[in-house]
Amino acid sequence: MRARWDIFCNVIDNYGDIGVAWRLARTLVCEQRQCVRLWVDDLRAFARIWPAIDAHAEAQIAEGVDIRHWTEPFPDAVPAEVVVEAFGCALPETYLAAMAGQSPPPVWINLEYLSAEVWVSEHHGLPSPHPRLPLTKHFFFPGYTAGTGGLAAESDLGARRDAFQQDNAASFWAQWQLAPPQPDEWRVSLFAYENFALPGLLDAWAGGSEAVTCLVPEGRVIPQLACWLDVPALTPGDVRERGRLRVRVLPFTDQDAYDRLLWACDLNFVRGEDSCVRAQWAARPLVWQAYPQAEQAHHAKLDALLGLYVARLEPAAAQAVTGLWRVWNGMPGAPAVGDAWDAWRAHRQAIDTHARAWPQQLAAAGRLADRLVEFAEKRLK
Ligand code: TRH
């Protein structure tokens, strides 16, 4: 059934909110043949993850999605049949009133943040009546298990990744003026927030026995990296070497090119939710830096995902993954970062094998766009 969707995205900071909303909008159009209008308040952030976006246009079409600049006062707009507010962004009052005037009213969904915590499946799908208007909002939780709203993924994601990885990614490296990796070399991508563990990890790489090429998309971690390298600044294209470590700064690319970086590297450091999921689908080892939250709420999120991720790993390798993830997130009781890296390296083979098999397990959660369409269709009947 082809329905009209309005997706609202308020960009708080960073790229995760628009990253998830854009991925969902594209998939709904391309795979589910839905008719999608995406309202975004910060088109400049949007253009960073999708450079074809014109940051000054009030309305534009990209990838079949009708994109609107979300401005205040909100323009008159007939509400769609399905309304998704991403991450609890408050809908414009005039739009809410227009929703209440529709008969039947739209299916109203609050798309929540992804978490592997167990309470997610208990809260997924719960209704919440509006206090004044004849409208009911539903809480929709993406998640890692079958009773949740699933994970963002395209139906051909695995096939595209496998084709790329079998191709050995040689042409991919050439675009960064890099030869394919040497047998004893690690290619690592580093997408991170500011991080106390970073200097120690860089020290370990520079003083280690294997060559490490660290590819760093421009962003929040760059000033700290420049400080460690003792240079005033770093810009895309810059290459610096210290001991066995070579650092290369990459420009921020579009989402699809970033996927290819994840597919090509031996190990990916990722942050927030969207890059974390993409790194898991990449079938390569990852280290996740959770988005820092008040009262360390992100520590519970980290441990919840770790619990799932390492469950089928042999205990020593599971401990090595846990140690590195926990020190990378500044968690109490974590080992020193140099020790955590040594332990991780010692179990690299098992961790790599596990990462390659992991997407099969992830698939059990189902795909977010499929789950959302099922959810909406049940209520549209
Ligand atoms: O940017 P983030 O830190 O987003 C965060 C979190 O999502 C957090 O939950 C949210 O509350 C906070 O923002 C406001 O990390 P995340 O989620 O990985 O999103 C990054 C997006 O950027 C993702 O869609 C991938 C994309 N990206 C590119 O398109 N090109 C790039 O070069 C890189 C490095 C990332």
mmCIF file with all atom_site columns, all heavy atoms in Angstrom, residues 13-17 19 49 113 191 193 252-255 258 271 273-275 291, ligand 1:
data_model
loop_
_atom_site.group_PDB
_atom_site.id
_atom_site.type_symbol
_atom_site.label_atom_id
_atom_site.label_alt_id
_atom_site.label_comp_id
_atom_site.label_asym_id
_atom_site.label_entity_id
_atom_site.label_seq_id
_atom_site.pdbx_PDB_ins_code
_atom_site.Cartn_x
_atom_site.Cartn_y
_atom_site.Cartn_z
_atom_site.occupancy
_atom_site.B_iso_or_equiv
_atom_site.pdbx_formal_charge
_atom_site.auth_seq_id
_atom_site.auth_comp_id
_atom_site.auth_asym_id
_atom_site.auth_atom_id
_atom_site.pdbx_PDB_model_num
ATOM   1   N N   . ASP A 1 13  ? 22.554 18.357 17.261 1.00 0.00 ? 13  ASP A N   1
ATOM   2   C CA  . ASP A 1 13  ? 23.949 18.620 16.888 1.00 0.00 ? 13  ASP A CA  1
ATOM   3   C C   . ASP A 1 13  ? 24.453 17.360 16.180 1.00 0.00 ? 13  ASP A C   1
ATOM   4   O O   . ASP A 1 13  ? 23.743 16.366 16.079 1.00 0.00 ? 13  ASP A O   1
ATOM   5   C CB  . ASP A 1 13  ? 24.830 19.011 18.089 1.00 0.00 ? 13  ASP A CB  1
ATOM   6   C CG  . ASP A 1 13  ? 24.910 17.920 19.140 1.00 0.00 ? 13  ASP A CG  1
ATOM   7   O OD1 . ASP A 1 13  ? 24.372 16.828 18.913 1.00 0.00 ? 13  ASP A OD1 1
ATOM   8   O OD2 . ASP A 1 13  ? 25.513 18.171 20.188 1.00 0.00 ? 13  ASP A OD2 1
ATOM   9   N N   . ASN A 1 14  ? 25.635 17.414 15.675 1.00 0.00 ? 14  ASN A N   1
ATOM   10  C CA  . ASN A 1 14  ? 26.207 16.257 14.971 1.00 0.00 ? 14  ASN A CA  1
ATOM   11  C C   . ASN A 1 14  ? 25.339 15.848 13.770 1.00 0.00 ? 14  ASN A C   1
ATOM   12  O O   . ASN A 1 14  ? 24.554 16.632 13.275 1.00 0.00 ? 14  ASN A O   1
ATOM   13  C CB  . ASN A 1 14  ? 26.421 15.079 15.922 1.00 0.00 ? 14  ASN A CB  1
ATOM   14  C CG  . ASN A 1 14  ? 27.275 15.489 17.111 1.00 0.00 ? 14  ASN A CG  1
ATOM   15  O OD1 . ASN A 1 14  ? 28.279 16.139 16.938 1.00 0.00 ? 14  ASN A OD1 1
ATOM   16  N ND2 . ASN A 1 14  ? 26.846 15.130 18.300 1.00 0.00 ? 14  ASN A ND2 1
ATOM   17  N N   . TYR A 1 15  ? 25.481 14.583 13.374 1.00 0.00 ? 15  TYR A N   1
ATOM   18  C CA  . TYR A 1 15  ? 24.839 14.135 12.130 1.00 0.00 ? 15  TYR A CA  1
ATOM   19  C C   . TYR A 1 15  ? 23.920 12.937 12.289 1.00 0.00 ? 15  TYR A C   1
ATOM   20  O O   . TYR A 1 15  ? 23.363 12.446 11.320 1.00 0.00 ? 15  TYR A O   1
ATOM   21  C CB  . TYR A 1 15  ? 25.937 13.803 11.095 1.00 0.00 ? 15  TYR A CB  1
ATOM   22  C CG  . TYR A 1 15  ? 26.854 14.966 10.894 1.00 0.00 ? 15  TYR A CG  1
ATOM   23  C CD1 . TYR A 1 15  ? 28.136 14.983 11.443 1.00 0.00 ? 15  TYR A CD1 1
ATOM   24  C CD2 . TYR A 1 15  ? 26.415 16.093 10.201 1.00 0.00 ? 15  TYR A CD2 1
ATOM   25  C CE1 . TYR A 1 15  ? 28.962 16.088 11.298 1.00 0.00 ? 15  TYR A CE1 1
ATOM   26  C CE2 . TYR A 1 15  ? 27.236 17.196 10.061 1.00 0.00 ? 15  TYR A CE2 1
ATOM   27  C CZ  . TYR A 1 15  ? 28.498 17.184 10.605 1.00 0.00 ? 15  TYR A CZ  1
ATOM   28  O OH  . TYR A 1 15  ? 29.297 18.285 10.466 1.00 0.00 ? 15  TYR A OH  1
ATOM   29  N N   . GLY A 1 16  ? 23.790 12.447 13.528 1.00 0.00 ? 16  GLY A N   1
ATOM   30  C CA  . GLY A 1 16  ? 23.023 11.220 13.736 1.00 0.00 ? 16  GLY A CA  1
ATOM   31  C C   . GLY A 1 16  ? 21.539 11.384 13.451 1.00 0.00 ? 16  GLY A C   1
ATOM   32  O O   . GLY A 1 16  ? 20.911 10.511 12.851 1.00 0.00 ? 16  GLY A O   1
ATOM   33  N N   . ASP A 1 17  ? 20.949 12.504 13.881 1.00 0.00 ? 17  ASP A N   1
ATOM   34  C CA  . ASP A 1 17  ? 19.508 12.679 13.701 1.00 0.00 ? 17  ASP A CA  1
ATOM   35  C C   . ASP A 1 17  ? 19.154 12.728 12.210 1.00 0.00 ? 17  ASP A C   1
ATOM   36  O O   . ASP A 1 17  ? 18.281 11.993 11.745 1.00 0.00 ? 17  ASP A O   1
ATOM   37  C CB  . ASP A 1 17  ? 19.046 13.979 14.384 1.00 0.00 ? 17  ASP A CB  1
ATOM   38  C CG  . ASP A 1 17  ? 19.382 13.988 15.864 1.00 0.00 ? 17  ASP A CG  1
ATOM   39  O OD1 . ASP A 1 17  ? 19.235 12.928 16.495 1.00 0.00 ? 17  ASP A OD1 1
ATOM   40  O OD2 . ASP A 1 17  ? 19.795 15.042 16.379 1.00 0.00 ? 17  ASP A OD2 1
ATOM   41  N N   . GLY A 1 19  ? 21.097 11.821 9.856  1.00 0.00 ? 19  GLY A N   1
ATOM   42  C CA  . GLY A 1 19  ? 21.621 10.585 9.236  1.00 0.00 ? 19  GLY A CA  1
ATOM   43  C C   . GLY A 1 19  ? 20.567 9.488  9.241  1.00 0.00 ? 19  GLY A C   1
ATOM   44  O O   . GLY A 1 19  ? 20.318 8.837  8.218  1.00 0.00 ? 19  GLY A O   1
ATOM   45  N N   . ILE A 1 49  ? 26.130 15.282 5.003  1.00 0.00 ? 49  ILE A N   1
ATOM   46  C CA  . ILE A 1 49  ? 26.057 13.832 4.781  1.00 0.00 ? 49  ILE A CA  1
ATOM   47  C C   . ILE A 1 49  ? 25.512 13.487 3.401  1.00 0.00 ? 49  ILE A C   1
ATOM   48  O O   . ILE A 1 49  ? 25.558 12.350 2.982  1.00 0.00 ? 49  ILE A O   1
ATOM   49  C CB  . ILE A 1 49  ? 25.208 13.118 5.860  1.00 0.00 ? 49  ILE A CB  1
ATOM   50  C CG1 . ILE A 1 49  ? 23.766 13.623 5.843  1.00 0.00 ? 49  ILE A CG1 1
ATOM   51  C CG2 . ILE A 1 49  ? 25.821 13.265 7.251  1.00 0.00 ? 49  ILE A CG2 1
ATOM   52  C CD1 . ILE A 1 49  ? 22.794 12.654 6.461  1.00 0.00 ? 49  ILE A CD1 1
ATOM   53  N N   . TYR A 1 113 ? 15.425 6.783  19.753 1.00 0.00 ? 113 TYR A N   1
ATOM   54  C CA  . TYR A 1 113 ? 16.833 6.420  19.580 1.00 0.00 ? 113 TYR A CA  1
ATOM   55  C C   . TYR A 1 113 ? 17.012 4.910  19.696 1.00 0.00 ? 113 TYR A C   1
ATOM   56  O O   . TYR A 1 113 ? 16.285 4.247  20.434 1.00 0.00 ? 113 TYR A O   1
ATOM   57  C CB  . TYR A 1 113 ? 17.705 7.107  20.644 1.00 0.00 ? 113 TYR A CB  1
ATOM   58  C CG  . TYR A 1 113 ? 17.905 8.580  20.379 1.00 0.00 ? 113 TYR A CG  1
ATOM   59  C CD1 . TYR A 1 113 ? 17.276 9.538  21.158 1.00 0.00 ? 113 TYR A CD1 1
ATOM   60  C CD2 . TYR A 1 113 ? 18.722 9.001  19.329 1.00 0.00 ? 113 TYR A CD2 1
ATOM   61  C CE1 . TYR A 1 113 ? 17.457 10.892 20.907 1.00 0.00 ? 113 TYR A CE1 1
ATOM   62  C CE2 . TYR A 1 113 ? 18.905 10.350 19.074 1.00 0.00 ? 113 TYR A CE2 1
ATOM   63  C CZ  . TYR A 1 113 ? 18.268 11.293 19.868 1.00 0.00 ? 113 TYR A CZ  1
ATOM   64  O OH  . TYR A 1 113 ? 18.444 12.617 19.608 1.00 0.00 ? 113 TYR A OH  1
ATOM   65  N N   . PHE A 1 191 ? 36.257 7.682  13.595 1.00 0.00 ? 191 PHE A N   1
ATOM   66  C CA  . PHE A 1 191 ? 35.188 8.687  13.661 1.00 0.00 ? 191 PHE A CA  1
ATOM   67  C C   . PHE A 1 191 ? 34.815 8.733  15.140 1.00 0.00 ? 191 PHE A C   1
ATOM   68  O O   . PHE A 1 191 ? 34.292 7.756  15.682 1.00 0.00 ? 191 PHE A O   1
ATOM   69  C CB  . PHE A 1 191 ? 34.022 8.235  12.790 1.00 0.00 ? 191 PHE A CB  1
ATOM   70  C CG  . PHE A 1 191 ? 32.841 9.179  12.739 1.00 0.00 ? 191 PHE A CG  1
ATOM   71  C CD1 . PHE A 1 191 ? 33.018 10.553 12.609 1.00 0.00 ? 191 PHE A CD1 1
ATOM   72  C CD2 . PHE A 1 191 ? 31.536 8.688  12.781 1.00 0.00 ? 191 PHE A CD2 1
ATOM   73  C CE1 . PHE A 1 191 ? 31.917 11.413 12.542 1.00 0.00 ? 191 PHE A CE1 1
ATOM   74  C CE2 . PHE A 1 191 ? 30.436 9.530  12.707 1.00 0.00 ? 191 PHE A CE2 1
ATOM   75  C CZ  . PHE A 1 191 ? 30.633 10.894 12.590 1.00 0.00 ? 191 PHE A CZ  1
ATOM   76  N N   . TYR A 1 193 ? 34.180 11.303 19.018 1.00 0.00 ? 193 TYR A N   1
ATOM   77  C CA  . TYR A 1 193 ? 34.102 12.565 19.739 1.00 0.00 ? 193 TYR A CA  1
ATOM   78  C C   . TYR A 1 193 ? 35.452 12.766 20.419 1.00 0.00 ? 193 TYR A C   1
ATOM   79  O O   . TYR A 1 193 ? 36.302 11.869 20.419 1.00 0.00 ? 193 TYR A O   1
ATOM   80  C CB  . TYR A 1 193 ? 33.011 12.496 20.818 1.00 0.00 ? 193 TYR A CB  1
ATOM   81  C CG  . TYR A 1 193 ? 31.664 12.044 20.314 1.00 0.00 ? 193 TYR A CG  1
ATOM   82  C CD1 . TYR A 1 193 ? 31.093 10.843 20.754 1.00 0.00 ? 193 TYR A CD1 1
ATOM   83  C CD2 . TYR A 1 193 ? 30.942 12.816 19.409 1.00 0.00 ? 193 TYR A CD2 1
ATOM   84  C CE1 . TYR A 1 193 ? 29.846 10.429 20.306 1.00 0.00 ? 193 TYR A CE1 1
ATOM   85  C CE2 . TYR A 1 193 ? 29.694 12.398 18.952 1.00 0.00 ? 193 TYR A CE2 1
ATOM   86  C CZ  . TYR A 1 193 ? 29.159 11.204 19.397 1.00 0.00 ? 193 TYR A CZ  1
ATOM   87  O OH  . TYR A 1 193 ? 27.930 10.792 18.947 1.00 0.00 ? 193 TYR A OH  1
ATOM   88  N N   . PHE A 1 252 ? 34.917 14.859 4.880  1.00 0.00 ? 252 PHE A N   1
ATOM   89  C CA  . PHE A 1 252 ? 33.635 14.247 5.225  1.00 0.00 ? 252 PHE A CA  1
ATOM   90  C C   . PHE A 1 252 ? 32.968 13.858 3.910  1.00 0.00 ? 252 PHE A C   1
ATOM   91  O O   . PHE A 1 252 ? 32.891 14.666 2.991  1.00 0.00 ? 252 PHE A O   1
ATOM   92  C CB  . PHE A 1 252 ? 32.788 15.275 5.973  1.00 0.00 ? 252 PHE A CB  1
ATOM   93  C CG  . PHE A 1 252 ? 31.859 14.678 6.967  1.00 0.00 ? 252 PHE A CG  1
ATOM   94  C CD1 . PHE A 1 252 ? 32.290 14.371 8.240  1.00 0.00 ? 252 PHE A CD1 1
ATOM   95  C CD2 . PHE A 1 252 ? 30.535 14.429 6.631  1.00 0.00 ? 252 PHE A CD2 1
ATOM   96  C CE1 . PHE A 1 252 ? 31.428 13.823 9.177  1.00 0.00 ? 252 PHE A CE1 1
ATOM   97  C CE2 . PHE A 1 252 ? 29.661 13.885 7.561  1.00 0.00 ? 252 PHE A CE2 1
ATOM   98  C CZ  . PHE A 1 252 ? 30.108 13.580 8.833  1.00 0.00 ? 252 PHE A CZ  1
ATOM   99  N N   . THR A 1 253 ? 32.517 12.642 3.791  1.00 0.00 ? 253 THR A N   1
ATOM   100 C CA  . THR A 1 253 ? 31.934 12.194 2.518  1.00 0.00 ? 253 THR A CA  1
ATOM   101 C C   . THR A 1 253 ? 30.440 11.969 2.685  1.00 0.00 ? 253 THR A C   1
ATOM   102 O O   . THR A 1 253 ? 29.917 12.094 3.783  1.00 0.00 ? 253 THR A O   1
ATOM   103 C CB  . THR A 1 253 ? 32.559 10.860 2.085  1.00 0.00 ? 253 THR A CB  1
ATOM   104 O OG1 . THR A 1 253 ? 32.331 9.932  3.139  1.00 0.00 ? 253 THR A OG1 1
ATOM   105 C CG2 . THR A 1 253 ? 34.037 10.991 1.825  1.00 0.00 ? 253 THR A CG2 1
ATOM   106 N N   . ASP A 1 254 ? 29.763 11.571 1.603  1.00 0.00 ? 254 ASP A N   1
ATOM   107 C CA  . ASP A 1 254 ? 28.343 11.258 1.762  1.00 0.00 ? 254 ASP A CA  1
ATOM   108 C C   . ASP A 1 254 ? 28.203 9.891  2.443  1.00 0.00 ? 254 ASP A C   1
ATOM   109 O O   . ASP A 1 254 ? 29.161 9.131  2.556  1.00 0.00 ? 254 ASP A O   1
ATOM   110 C CB  . ASP A 1 254 ? 27.602 11.336 0.421  1.00 0.00 ? 254 ASP A CB  1
ATOM   111 C CG  . ASP A 1 254 ? 28.009 10.243 -0.534 1.00 0.00 ? 254 ASP A CG  1
ATOM   112 O OD1 . ASP A 1 254 ? 27.918 9.055  -0.172 1.00 0.00 ? 254 ASP A OD1 1
ATOM   113 O OD2 . ASP A 1 254 ? 28.431 10.559 -1.657 1.00 0.00 ? 254 ASP A OD2 1
ATOM   114 N N   . GLN A 1 255 ? 26.979 9.593  2.880  1.00 0.00 ? 255 GLN A N   1
ATOM   115 C CA  . GLN A 1 255 ? 26.753 8.367  3.662  1.00 0.00 ? 255 GLN A CA  1
ATOM   116 C C   . GLN A 1 255 ? 27.203 7.107  2.931  1.00 0.00 ? 255 GLN A C   1
ATOM   117 O O   . GLN A 1 255 ? 27.759 6.195  3.546  1.00 0.00 ? 255 GLN A O   1
ATOM   118 C CB  . GLN A 1 255 ? 25.261 8.231  3.974  1.00 0.00 ? 255 GLN A CB  1
ATOM   119 C CG  . GLN A 1 255 ? 24.805 9.029  5.168  1.00 0.00 ? 255 GLN A CG  1
ATOM   120 C CD  . GLN A 1 255 ? 23.351 8.757  5.506  1.00 0.00 ? 255 GLN A CD  1
ATOM   121 O OE1 . GLN A 1 255 ? 22.534 8.478  4.624  1.00 0.00 ? 255 GLN A OE1 1
ATOM   122 N NE2 . GLN A 1 255 ? 23.007 8.861  6.780  1.00 0.00 ? 255 GLN A NE2 1
ATOM   123 N N   . TYR A 1 258 ? 30.940 6.788  2.996  1.00 0.00 ? 258 TYR A N   1
ATOM   124 C CA  . TYR A 1 258 ? 31.395 6.426  4.345  1.00 0.00 ? 258 TYR A CA  1
ATOM   125 C C   . TYR A 1 258 ? 31.198 4.923  4.583  1.00 0.00 ? 258 TYR A C   1
ATOM   126 O O   . TYR A 1 258 ? 32.057 4.270  5.180  1.00 0.00 ? 258 TYR A O   1
ATOM   127 C CB  . TYR A 1 258 ? 30.644 7.255  5.390  1.00 0.00 ? 258 TYR A CB  1
ATOM   128 C CG  . TYR A 1 258 ? 31.057 6.925  6.807  1.00 0.00 ? 258 TYR A CG  1
ATOM   129 C CD1 . TYR A 1 258 ? 32.386 7.048  7.217  1.00 0.00 ? 258 TYR A CD1 1
ATOM   130 C CD2 . TYR A 1 258 ? 30.142 6.435  7.730  1.00 0.00 ? 258 TYR A CD2 1
ATOM   131 C CE1 . TYR A 1 258 ? 32.777 6.710  8.510  1.00 0.00 ? 258 TYR A CE1 1
ATOM   132 C CE2 . TYR A 1 258 ? 30.522 6.104  9.021  1.00 0.00 ? 258 TYR A CE2 1
ATOM   133 C CZ  . TYR A 1 258 ? 31.842 6.237  9.399  1.00 0.00 ? 258 TYR A CZ  1
ATOM   134 O OH  . TYR A 1 258 ? 32.235 5.890  10.665 1.00 0.00 ? 258 TYR A OH  1
ATOM   135 N N   . ARG A 1 271 ? 30.930 6.256  16.304 1.00 0.00 ? 271 ARG A N   1
ATOM   136 C CA  . ARG A 1 271 ? 30.331 6.995  17.419 1.00 0.00 ? 271 ARG A CA  1
ATOM   137 C C   . ARG A 1 271 ? 28.825 7.128  17.178 1.00 0.00 ? 271 ARG A C   1
ATOM   138 O O   . ARG A 1 271 ? 28.339 6.906  16.057 1.00 0.00 ? 271 ARG A O   1
ATOM   139 C CB  . ARG A 1 271 ? 30.969 8.378  17.521 1.00 0.00 ? 271 ARG A CB  1
ATOM   140 C CG  . ARG A 1 271 ? 30.578 9.262  16.362 1.00 0.00 ? 271 ARG A CG  1
ATOM   141 C CD  . ARG A 1 271 ? 31.196 10.643 16.415 1.00 0.00 ? 271 ARG A CD  1
ATOM   142 N NE  . ARG A 1 271 ? 30.313 11.602 15.780 1.00 0.00 ? 271 ARG A NE  1
ATOM   143 C CZ  . ARG A 1 271 ? 30.667 12.820 15.421 1.00 0.00 ? 271 ARG A CZ  1
ATOM   144 N NH1 . ARG A 1 271 ? 31.903 13.252 15.651 1.00 0.00 ? 271 ARG A NH1 1
ATOM   145 N NH2 . ARG A 1 271 ? 29.795 13.635 14.862 1.00 0.00 ? 271 ARG A NH2 1
ATOM   146 N N   . GLU A 1 273 ? 24.821 6.511  17.004 1.00 0.00 ? 273 GLU A N   1
ATOM   147 C CA  . GLU A 1 273 ? 24.118 5.262  16.694 1.00 0.00 ? 273 GLU A CA  1
ATOM   148 C C   . GLU A 1 273 ? 24.261 4.838  15.240 1.00 0.00 ? 273 GLU A C   1
ATOM   149 O O   . GLU A 1 273 ? 24.442 3.660  14.947 1.00 0.00 ? 273 GLU A O   1
ATOM   150 C CB  . GLU A 1 273 ? 22.624 5.380  17.009 1.00 0.00 ? 273 GLU A CB  1
ATOM   151 C CG  . GLU A 1 273 ? 22.293 5.200  18.458 1.00 0.00 ? 273 GLU A CG  1
ATOM   152 C CD  . GLU A 1 273 ? 22.296 6.519  19.212 1.00 0.00 ? 273 GLU A CD  1
ATOM   153 O OE1 . GLU A 1 273 ? 21.946 7.550  18.608 1.00 0.00 ? 273 GLU A OE1 1
ATOM   154 O OE2 . GLU A 1 273 ? 22.671 6.525  20.394 1.00 0.00 ? 273 GLU A OE2 1
ATOM   155 N N   . ASP A 1 274 ? 24.155 5.807  14.323 1.00 0.00 ? 274 ASP A N   1
ATOM   156 C CA  . ASP A 1 274 ? 24.056 5.390  12.924 1.00 0.00 ? 274 ASP A CA  1
ATOM   157 C C   . ASP A 1 274 ? 25.356 4.778  12.418 1.00 0.00 ? 274 ASP A C   1
ATOM   158 O O   . ASP A 1 274 ? 25.354 3.717  11.782 1.00 0.00 ? 274 ASP A O   1
ATOM   159 C CB  . ASP A 1 274 ? 23.633 6.571  12.041 1.00 0.00 ? 274 ASP A CB  1
ATOM   160 C CG  . ASP A 1 274 ? 23.191 6.094  10.670 1.00 0.00 ? 274 ASP A CG  1
ATOM   161 O OD1 . ASP A 1 274 ? 22.358 5.172  10.608 1.00 0.00 ? 274 ASP A OD1 1
ATOM   162 O OD2 . ASP A 1 274 ? 23.708 6.598  9.659  1.00 0.00 ? 274 ASP A OD2 1
ATOM   163 N N   . SER A 1 275 ? 26.486 5.422  12.696 1.00 0.00 ? 275 SER A N   1
ATOM   164 C CA  . SER A 1 275 ? 27.759 4.840  12.225 1.00 0.00 ? 275 SER A CA  1
ATOM   165 C C   . SER A 1 275 ? 28.043 3.524  12.941 1.00 0.00 ? 275 SER A C   1
ATOM   166 O O   . SER A 1 275 ? 28.680 2.625  12.371 1.00 0.00 ? 275 SER A O   1
ATOM   167 C CB  . SER A 1 275 ? 28.915 5.823  12.404 1.00 0.00 ? 275 SER A CB  1
ATOM   168 O OG  . SER A 1 275 ? 29.022 6.243  13.747 1.00 0.00 ? 275 SER A OG  1
ATOM   169 N N   . TYR A 1 291 ? 27.307 8.197  22.309 1.00 0.00 ? 291 TYR A N   1
ATOM   170 C CA  . TYR A 1 291 ? 27.091 9.638  22.463 1.00 0.00 ? 291 TYR A CA  1
ATOM   171 C C   . TYR A 1 291 ? 26.979 9.954  23.953 1.00 0.00 ? 291 TYR A C   1
ATOM   172 O O   . TYR A 1 291 ? 26.111 9.414  24.644 1.00 0.00 ? 291 TYR A O   1
ATOM   173 C CB  . TYR A 1 291 ? 25.804 10.028 21.727 1.00 0.00 ? 291 TYR A CB  1
ATOM   174 C CG  . TYR A 1 291 ? 25.473 11.499 21.784 1.00 0.00 ? 291 TYR A CG  1
ATOM   175 C CD1 . TYR A 1 291 ? 26.245 12.423 21.099 1.00 0.00 ? 291 TYR A CD1 1
ATOM   176 C CD2 . TYR A 1 291 ? 24.374 11.952 22.504 1.00 0.00 ? 291 TYR A CD2 1
ATOM   177 C CE1 . TYR A 1 291 ? 25.935 13.779 21.143 1.00 0.00 ? 291 TYR A CE1 1
ATOM   178 C CE2 . TYR A 1 291 ? 24.051 13.294 22.551 1.00 0.00 ? 291 TYR A CE2 1
ATOM   179 C CZ  . TYR A 1 291 ? 24.847 14.202 21.862 1.00 0.00 ? 291 TYR A CZ  1
ATOM   180 O OH  . TYR A 1 291 ? 24.531 15.535 21.912 1.00 0.00 ? 291 TYR A OH  1
HETATM 181 O O1  . TRH B 2 .   ? 27.075 12.392 14.335 1.00 0.00 ? 1   TRH B O1  1
HETATM 182 P P1  . TRH B 2 .   ? 26.808 11.513 15.474 1.00 0.00 ? 1   TRH B P1  1
HETATM 183 O O2  . TRH B 2 .   ? 27.648 11.725 16.647 1.00 0.00 ? 1   TRH B O2  1
HETATM 184 O O3  . TRH B 2 .   ? 25.291 11.609 15.889 1.00 0.00 ? 1   TRH B O3  1
HETATM 185 C C1  . TRH B 2 .   ? 24.880 11.720 17.243 1.00 0.00 ? 1   TRH B C1  1
HETATM 186 C C2  . TRH B 2 .   ? 24.147 10.476 17.681 1.00 0.00 ? 1   TRH B C2  1
HETATM 187 O O4  . TRH B 2 .   ? 23.326 9.911  16.733 1.00 0.00 ? 1   TRH B O4  1
HETATM 188 C C3  . TRH B 2 .   ? 23.340 10.769 18.934 1.00 0.00 ? 1   TRH B C3  1
HETATM 189 O O5  . TRH B 2 .   ? 22.502 9.717  19.251 1.00 0.00 ? 1   TRH B O5  1
HETATM 190 C C4  . TRH B 2 .   ? 22.512 12.010 18.737 1.00 0.00 ? 1   TRH B C4  1
HETATM 191 O O6  . TRH B 2 .   ? 21.743 12.260 19.816 1.00 0.00 ? 1   TRH B O6  1
HETATM 192 C C5  . TRH B 2 .   ? 23.455 13.142 18.504 1.00 0.00 ? 1   TRH B C5  1
HETATM 193 O O7  . TRH B 2 .   ? 24.129 12.905 17.274 1.00 0.00 ? 1   TRH B O7  1
HETATM 194 C C6  . TRH B 2 .   ? 22.742 14.481 18.437 1.00 0.00 ? 1   TRH B C6  1
HETATM 195 O O8  . TRH B 2 .   ? 27.001 9.974  15.044 1.00 0.00 ? 1   TRH B O8  1
HETATM 196 P P2  . TRH B 2 .   ? 26.166 8.995  14.099 1.00 0.00 ? 1   TRH B P2  1
HETATM 197 O O9  . TRH B 2 .   ? 24.863 8.648  14.739 1.00 0.00 ? 1   TRH B O9  1
HETATM 198 O O10 . TRH B 2 .   ? 27.046 7.896  13.766 1.00 0.00 ? 1   TRH B O10 1
HETATM 199 O O11 . TRH B 2 .   ? 25.852 9.839  12.800 1.00 0.00 ? 1   TRH B O11 1
HETATM 200 C C7  . TRH B 2 .   ? 26.850 10.186 11.880 1.00 0.00 ? 1   TRH B C7  1
HETATM 201 C C8  . TRH B 2 .   ? 26.258 10.230 10.488 1.00 0.00 ? 1   TRH B C8  1
HETATM 202 O O12 . TRH B 2 .   ? 27.189 10.842 9.612  1.00 0.00 ? 1   TRH B O12 1
HETATM 203 C C9  . TRH B 2 .   ? 25.967 8.856  9.924  1.00 0.00 ? 1   TRH B C9  1
HETATM 204 O O13 . TRH B 2 .   ? 24.743 8.891  9.208  1.00 0.00 ? 1   TRH B O13 1
HETATM 205 C C10 . TRH B 2 .   ? 27.105 8.610  8.963  1.00 0.00 ? 1   TRH B C10 1
HETATM 206 C C11 . TRH B 2 .   ? 27.374 10.015 8.480  1.00 0.00 ? 1   TRH B C11 1
HETATM 207 N N1  . TRH B 2 .   ? 28.715 10.257 7.932  1.00 0.00 ? 1   TRH B N1  1
HETATM 208 C C12 . TRH B 2 .   ? 28.827 10.622 6.614  1.00 0.00 ? 1   TRH B C12 1
HETATM 209 O O14 . TRH B 2 .   ? 27.807 10.687 5.898  1.00 0.00 ? 1   TRH B O14 1
HETATM 210 N N2  . TRH B 2 .   ? 30.069 10.896 6.099  1.00 0.00 ? 1   TRH B N2  1
HETATM 211 C C13 . TRH B 2 .   ? 31.201 10.804 6.848  1.00 0.00 ? 1   TRH B C13 1
HETATM 212 O O15 . TRH B 2 .   ? 32.302 11.059 6.328  1.00 0.00 ? 1   TRH B O15 1
HETATM 213 C C14 . TRH B 2 .   ? 31.072 10.396 8.216  1.00 0.00 ? 1   TRH B C14 1
HETATM 214 C C15 . TRH B 2 .   ? 32.301 10.257 9.066  1.00 0.00 ? 1   TRH B C15 1
HETATM 215 C C16 . TRH B 2 .   ? 29.815 10.136 8.721  1.00 0.00 ? 1   TRH B C16 1
#
